[in-house]
Amino acid sequence: MASFKSDKILINKPAEDIFTFLSDFNNFEKLMPEQVTNWQSSKEFCSFTIQGMADLAMEMGPKTEFTQITYKSKGEKPFAFDMTTSFQLVESSQTETQITLNADLNPMVKMMASRPLQNFVNILVNKLKEVVE
């Protein structure tokens, strides 16, 4: 399984606010890069297309209140994956946040998809900071 970790960023919001925002897929559209099209979401599910790459769908997975949320791939998409957002409160109104994407990629797909997937998690975490602050 390939693992892609975003940069750790400091967000000037309490972990509770970030956790609440990321517990609803309807908020995720604001975080997506411009290459994402065909966005559809509910609180517990989302699907979208990354242009030139794949159609993907995710559903909410396990949550640990104010410290971690896991999202899981759904349906017959090109590869199985999970994505975890981790939060660590630094001060009462500052939270260190990181997104990790684990994907079950064959060696050829891994070679082609590694850079776009790494960029994807970094874009998500940076847009998260932008949107919630």
Side-chain angles (χ1 to χ4, degrees):
M1 185 150 306
S3 185
F4 306 93
K5 292 182 182 243
S6 73
D7 299 329
K8 289 183 180 180
I9 61 158
L10 193 61
I11 298 177
N12 294 313
K13 284 286 186 183
E16 182 177 348
D17 291 0
I18 300 166
F19 180 88
T20 300
F21 180 86
L22 292 175
S23 291
D24 183 347
F25 274 123
N26 291 316
N27 294 324
F28 270 64
E29 188 172 14
K30 300 170 192 162
L31 307 179
M32 293 294 137
E34 62 187 34
Q35 297 88 345
V36 169
T37 59
N38 302 324
W39 179 264
Q40 294 181 333
S41 64
S42 68
K43 183 176 173 92
E44 297 286 322
F45 172 82
C46 73
S47 64
F48 54 95
T49 302
I50 299 177
Q51 289 178 344
M53 195 171 154
D55 292 328
L56 300 173
M58 295 188 293
E59 63 185 347
M60 286 288 168
K63 298 178 192 177
T64 305
E65 196 166 79
F66 312 138
T67 58
Q68 186 171 296
I69 302 174
T70 300
Y71 313 97
K72 300 204 170 272
S73 59
K74 175 130 173 92
E76 296 299 316
K77 299 302 173 185
F79 52 86
F81 67 93
D82 64 66
M83 187 171 75
T84 302
T85 304
S86 303
F87 319 99
Q88 182 175 350
L89 194 61
V90 176
E91 291 181 17
S92 63
S93 64
Q94 286 191 321
T95 305
E96 186 177 77
T97 306
Q98 184 174 39
I99 297 173
T100 303
L101 178 73
N102 296 307
D104 188 14
L105 304 173
N106 69 45
M108 181 177 271
V109 172
K110 182 179 178 184
M111 196 168 60
M112 293 185 312
S114 287
R115 175 176 257 150
L117 290 173
Q118 184 63 55
N119 288 340
F120 181 67
V121 293
N122 282 324
I123 288 168
L124 288 181
V125 79
N126 285 306
K127 284 229 179 180
L128 176 64
K129 178 179 174 72
E130 226 177 83
V131 170
V132 297
E133 282 187 347

